[in-house]
Amino acid sequence: SVTLFGVLDARVALGRGSIADRTQLASAGTNTPRLGVRGVEDLGGGMSASFWLEAGLFTDDGQGSGSNANNQASGSGPAVAGRQGLVFNRRSTVSLSSGWGELRAGRDYIPQYWNLYYADPFGNVGVGNPMPATYTFGGVNGFGGPAANVGVYASNTVSYFTPGSLGGFFGHVQYYFGENPQNGAATEDDGSGGGVRVGYASGPIYASVATGRTKYAAGDNRQSNAVATYNFGVAKVGLQISRDKKGPLTGKGWLLGGWVPVGAGQILASYSQYETTATGNPEGKKLALGYIHNLSKRTAVYTTWARLKNSGGAALALNGAATAPNTSSSGLDLGIRHSF
Amino acid sequence: SVTLFGVLDARVALGRGSIADRTQLASAGTNTPRLGVRGVEDLGGGMSASFWLEAGLFTDDGQGSGSNANNQASGSGPAVAGRQGLVFNRRSTVSLSSGWGELRAGRDYIPQYWNLYYADPFGNVGVGNPMPATYTFGGVNGFGGPAANVGVYASNTVSYFTPGSLGGFFGHVQYYFGENPQNGAATEDDGSGGGVRVGYASGPIYASVATGRTKYAAGDNRQSNAVATYNFGVAKVGLQISRDKKGPLTGKGWLLGGWVPVGAGQILASYSQYETTATGNPEGKKLALGYIHNLSKRTAVYTTWARLKNSGGAALALNGAATAPNTSSSGLDLGIRHSF
Amino acid sequence: SVTLFGVLDARVALGRGSIADRTQLASAGTNTPRLGVRGVEDLGGGMSASFWLEAGLFTDDGQGSGSNANNQASGSGPAVAGRQGLVFNRRSTVSLSSGWGELRAGRDYIPQYWNLYYADPFGNVGVGNPMPATYTFGGVNGFGGPAANVGVYASNTVSYFTPGSLGGFFGHVQYYFGENPQNGAATEDDGSGGGVRVGYASGPIYASVATGRTKYAAGDNRQSNAVATYNFGVAKVGLQISRDKKGPLTGKGWLLGGWVPVGAGQILASYSQYETTATGNPEGKKLALGYIHNLSKRTAVYTTWARLKNSGGAALALNGAATAPNTSSSGLDLGIRHSF
């Protein structure tokens, strides 16, 4: 049982800022485009083996996304424009599962990122991508990993997941290797680390917390966050709190989100903010509103509008626009998503 | 309904020229090798969603082909030898279709290239690749895009295709974004452009015209061409006329082609020429003859012979040979094509 | 009949050496991870067409492996860290087969490497990878090709394989093109070469010899080896003898291996050594012991231990460790392999 699966997502993305506006045909308005192969084998006795290979790709130009071999800057070089091939950067894992849970090895999401995903109506992508995800994992002010993609995924992971039958409770603990030679250098443990995520899901209630640390001689990278959602039926609401450290820097933020079903579609809304202890205490506040109209279970059209307000010297802009410190930026997505 | 599809094409390619001959195991004698995934979803009410991911690849060494992120030189870096991974450079699109036609977004052929394909018996590949395609899209004398693959495909496209029920008439209009920041720079619209193609096909008659323009501050790139074919039964004949501009340079050419079915095979022939207004008015004239023998609908063996005559200072050579200005070059392909 | 197939293999790999130890989550403990597509078409009359596209990939970080376009150093650039996309570096071929055998073109294993595979219980991968494969094809002391992957695979090959019905005898002859311009330069034949492999397999007996040469103006690269295995039922034993030349350098080595079935698993063992005529006559001797436990036909867990002894100035170390010249290194793999 091998399954070929994927998502394509393309959007006309408008960005407005005080320095430059921008219009693009971009990808990933509501889901990151991907192509993957996965499968499960029943080994008998309640045991199974499985694999999952999933590559990120850009719908607008057909390119892939890079990986990182050692969770350090040296493991992720600059992309050669136009030449980035398909890489299973989103997941490349092999697993053994049984009544005791799942043991998984390879490249995978880190628990402290994965946890953020649950309270964000916009799924951490598109113009509605909230402030905590932007800072914590996006590399702003030195947060996130030292190189592309470190901080969302890690390579060289070994993970344990609890089975799906613990009365609503679940857990995920992960370790990853930096793979440096053990020669006494100060940096010999760089890129090693781990994280843990525990939670509870039952009926309308979902709640989970995660924390993780990646070691770097230049300053460890710590991420901690808690999310909770409650489904009232007419609407689901979510709350997220993040607190991060990168060496001497501290960052903290929160998000309030909502999902409102309307006919074949869904209205999405979120307010989020994030502030760091970098010089000036830069801060971003963002309001995002969106609507997804489902043409089928696999296909939807959508639009998202967002406005970001900078302060403390921050100069973040939306959808590729450029804006001066302490000014605002707004953006609009109009797109289509198709999965298979 | 997801389909995995592809083409492999390998040929022993001989090139002869006054400076150096060359023998290679090359790809793409009659079709560009590719690997793709595509699918269609019926949305009901006559509407459907579809996607198409198609990567070019080299049968002889297993590598992929690059893309271009912004339709500008900055969007296409040099390939690192031996390292070019699979990229969906040939097509990466998501579409919505209905009785009103098809709306398509992503990376795709540009109409002004696609149009050329119809009158060329050799499909714009192999040693028989005609002079207009060589110049117009191959970057000779500055024609074609400023970087690899721009000029055949564009990224960031939005296209509309007419439905298949207009009494034989069809049309395709496309716009593509250069995606530069709108900051008042002279180059802010570089890489933006579009094209249109309209035609008529009915019974033995096929005729279409296309024109397009890509904006560059250094000089816009314009391509226009008209093709027509008529199927007499014992043979199909085709005519193609091209006229291009790249800044101050002008180029023009034409092709006369023929397809003659013989048993399980087909004899192919074309004569083509192209001349530009670069210093000396360089010109190439080419005669190509080929035979494709179908072993099945999916598999064929083939041979193509071609001879190219340079004048006006041109020094084009076939199949990787090198030849002095104003001399001739000849080449021979002997290959196999298999599709799945 | 198109088949999507693959292997994932992940191992915790420990290496010990006098300078630095190392712990990694590595790939390829017992099989190189891969993803491929292959198919066969029946053409009637006993004839068939087939294709095979197979990409190497790293389970631990999701990256692919590079290829080489011309079997020369210029055909294989350095990988950009984290950016190596999927390349069909392991095989990219199209074939015609019939009662007379198989004609195959594209990128493929070279016969002189493929032959080594048969007498090595560890399949030329993992910490148990024997000394002849390490030297002959791994680039140690200048052996192997001048660039990554040349020496295991070649691009631009044309091969003939005997049919499977010659009373146990089989043969494979291959030629590959270096594809340089024929301009009288001393290096014009660099990267061209070929090899031949002939053998006999019947019941418990397997024996084969292979030899090949790749031309380089700086010194041809010649590999010759002979392997034989005999299956006693309670155990299979194998012997391998290698002799190589790289310009003025000579290398020679041998391997003795054994496979012992035990219940659902198999004990593996090999002793191997290799010595070259480089300054000091560097030599490596290696003992490897392993156990593979099959959870199913497709899934296995395994462990391998190996110890390598350097002399003559050699400083080879296992699993990424570093060791001083003439010292020892040991390593341990603990892993899982899953194929689909």
Side-chain angles (χ1 to χ4, degrees), chain C residues 146-165:
Chain C
N149 276 330
V150 185
V152 175
Y153 315 100
S155 289
N156 316 316
T157 73
V158 178
S159 292
Y160 166 74
F161 294 79
T162 54
S165 56

Side-chain angles (χ1 to χ4, degrees), chain B residues 4 8-10 12 19-26 34-35 57-64 80-86 295-299 301 320 336-340, chain C residues 2 37 41 43 49-51 53 66-69 74-80 84-88 92-94 96 105-107 148 155-158 177 179-183:
Chain B
L4 189 66
L8 283 92
D9 190 323
V12 174
I19 296 173
D21 296 342
R22 201 161 188 177
T23 305
Q24 301 177 78
L25 186 85
R34 68 198 71 174
L35 181 64
L57 62 90
F58 290 88
T59 305
D60 52 348
D61 57 24
Q63 296 188 83
V80 179
R83 301 291 175 181
Q84 176 63 63
L86 214 60
L295 299 171
S296 74
K297 285 200 171 184
R298 291 170 45 196
T299 306
V301 291
I336 177 174
R337 181 189 68 209
H338 177 66
S339 61
F340 61 94
Chain C
V2 172
V37 188
E41 181 196 16
L43 297 172
S50 59
F51 76 96
L53 294 169
S67 179
N68 182 301
S74 62
S76 177
V80 179
Q84 177 62 64
L86 214 61
V87 172
F88 296 112
S92 166
T93 62
V94 57
L96 278 182
R107 179 173 173 86
S155 289
N156 316 316
T157 73
V158 178
F177 296 93
E179 302 195 335
N180 296 322
Q182 298 300 302
N183 55 8

Side-chain angles (χ1 to χ4, degrees), chain A residues 183-196:
Chain A
N183 54 7
T187 57
E188 70 177 14
D189 291 330
D190 276 23
S192 295
V196 60

Side-chain angles (χ1 to χ4, degrees), chain B:
Chain B
S1 103
V2 172
T3 304
L4 189 66
F5 66 97
V7 174
L8 283 92
D9 190 323
R11 56 180 165 130
V12 174
L14 310 171
R16 298 286 173 263
S18 68
I19 296 173
D21 296 342
R22 201 161 188 177
T23 305
Q24 301 177 78
L25 186 85
S27 293
T30 59
N31 261 177
T32 302
R34 68 198 71 174
L35 181 64
V37 188
R38 63 174 184 246
V40 182
E41 180 195 17
D42 186 344
L43 297 171
M47 211 167 167
S48 63
S50 58
F51 75 96
W52 193 297
L53 294 170
E54 182 176 318
L57 62 90
F58 290 88
T59 305
D60 52 348
D61 57 24
Q63 296 188 83
S65 278
S67 178
N68 183 300
N70 62 11
N71 308 319
Q72 301 163 59
S74 61
S76 177
V80 179
R83 301 291 175 181
Q84 176 63 63
L86 214 60
V87 172
F88 295 113
N89 66 307
R90 291 175 56 87
R91 188 164 161 193
S92 165
T93 62
V94 56
S95 295
L96 278 181
S97 303
S98 187
W100 43 257
E102 177 186 351
L103 195 60
R104 188 189 290 181
R107 179 172 173 85
D108 202 1
Y109 280 104
I110 57 174
Q112 57 270 40
Y113 173 81
W114 188 241
N115 199 52
L116 275 196
Y117 189 83
Y118 285 82
D120 176 18
F122 298 98
N124 290 357
V125 293
V127 75
N129 185 28
M131 289 288 93
T134 300
Y135 273 88
T136 309
F137 299 101
V140 180
N141 287 128
F143 287 91
N149 276 331
V150 185
V152 173
Y153 314 100
S155 289
N156 317 315
T157 73
V158 178
S159 291
Y160 166 74
F161 294 79
T162 54
S165 55
L166 298 179
F169 290 95
F170 57 86
H172 170 198
V173 56
Q174 182 183 73
Y175 180 78
Y176 35 93
F177 296 93
E179 300 195 337
N180 297 323
Q182 298 301 300
N183 55 8
T187 56
E188 71 176 16
D189 291 330
D190 276 22
S192 297
V196 60
R197 173 172 173 256
V198 294
Y200 177 80
S202 177
I205 302 174
Y206 174 93
S208 58
V209 297
T211 187
R213 177 172 71 133
T214 311
K215 293 182 187 175
Y216 299 105
D220 287 356
N221 192 349
R222 293 163 191 264
Q223 294 130 349
S224 302
N225 47 68
V227 302
T229 64
Y230 192 89
N231 194 338
F232 292 96
V234 295
K236 187 171 90 167
V237 294
L239 177 69
Q240 170 193 300
I241 299 170
S242 290
R243 188 172 175 89
D244 309 301
K245 281 187 71 69
K246 168 74 178 177
L249 277 185
T250 299
K252 56 185 177 181
W254 56 272
L255 170 147
L256 185 65
W259 295 255
V260 184
V262 279
Q266 205 173 27
I267 293 173
L268 308 172
S270 80
Y271 174 81
S272 62
Q273 59 178 59
Y274 198 88
E275 182 182 9
T276 85
T277 58
T279 306
N281 291 334
E283 182 172 23
K285 297 176 179 179
K286 188 177 194 176
L287 179 66
L289 296 170
Y291 174 66
I292 296 182
H293 184 76
N294 296 303
L295 299 171
S296 74
K297 285 200 171 184
R298 291 170 45 196
T299 306
V301 291
Y302 62 86
T303 186
T304 307
W305 169 89
R307 182 172 177 84
L308 188 160
K309 178 79 187 74
N310 291 291
S311 60
L316 298 170
L318 299 177
N319 276 350
T323 207
N326 304 322
T327 66
S328 294
S329 172
S330 63
L332 184 72
D333 287 347
L334 185 66
I336 177 174
R337 181 189 68 209
H338 177 66
S339 61
F340 61 94

Side-chain angles (χ1 to χ4, degrees), chain A residues 41 67 77 84 86 179 182, chain C residues 22 61 81-83 86 296 299:
Chain A
E41 180 196 16
S67 179
Q84 177 62 63
L86 214 61
E179 301 195 334
Q182 297 302 300
Chain C
R22 202 161 187 175
D61 58 23
R83 301 290 175 180
L86 214 61
S296 74
T299 305

Side-chain angles (χ1 to χ4, degrees), chain C residues 54-312:
Chain C
E54 182 177 320
L57 62 91
F58 290 88
T59 305
D60 53 347
D61 58 23
Q63 295 189 82
S65 279
S67 179
N68 182 301
N70 62 10
N71 308 320
Q72 301 164 60
S74 62
S76 177
V80 179
R83 301 290 175 180
Q84 177 62 64
L86 214 61
V87 172
F88 296 112
N89 66 307
R90 292 175 56 86
R91 188 164 160 192
S92 166
T93 62
V94 57
S95 296
L96 278 182
S97 302
S98 187
W100 44 257
E102 178 186 348
L103 195 62
R104 189 190 289 181
R107 179 173 173 86
D108 202 1
Y109 279 104
I110 58 174
Q112 57 269 41
Y113 173 82
W114 187 240
N115 199 53
L116 275 195
Y117 188 82
Y118 285 82
D120 175 19
F122 298 99
N124 290 356
V125 293
V127 75
N129 185 28
M131 289 287 92
T134 300
Y135 272 88
T136 309
F137 298 103
V140 181
N141 286 129
F143 287 91
N149 276 330
V150 185
V152 175
Y153 315 100
S155 289
N156 316 316
T157 73
V158 178
S159 292
Y160 166 74
F161 294 79
T162 54
S165 56
L166 298 178
F169 291 95
F170 57 84
H172 171 198
V173 55
Q174 183 183 74
Y175 180 78
Y176 36 91
F177 296 93
E179 302 195 335
N180 296 322
Q182 298 300 302
N183 55 8
T187 57
E188 71 176 15
D189 291 331
D190 277 21
S192 296
V196 60
R197 173 173 174 254
V198 293
Y200 176 80
S202 177
I205 303 173
Y206 174 93
S208 57
V209 296
T211 187
R213 179 171 71 131
T214 310
K215 294 183 187 174
Y216 299 105
D220 287 357
N221 193 348
R222 291 163 193 264
Q223 293 129 350
S224 302
N225 48 67
V227 303
T229 65
Y230 191 89
N231 194 338
F232 291 97
V234 296
K236 188 171 89 167
V237 294
L239 178 68
Q240 170 192 302
I241 299 171
S242 289
R243 189 174 175 86
D244 309 301
K245 282 185 71 67
K246 169 72 179 179
L249 277 185
T250 300
K252 56 186 177 183
W254 58 271
L255 170 146
L256 184 67
W259 296 253
V260 184
V262 280
Q266 205 175 26
I267 293 174
L268 308 171
S270 79
Y271 174 81
S272 63
Q273 59 178 58
Y274 199 87
E275 182 182 8
T276 83
T277 58
T279 306
N281 290 335
E283 182 173 22
K285 298 176 179 178
K286 189 177 194 175
L287 179 67
L289 296 169
Y291 174 66
I292 296 183
H293 185 76
N294 297 303
L295 299 170
S296 74
K297 286 199 170 185
R298 290 171 44 196
T299 305
V301 291
Y302 62 86
T303 186
T304 307
W305 170 89
R307 183 172 176 85
L308 188 160
K309 179 79 187 76
N310 290 291
S311 60

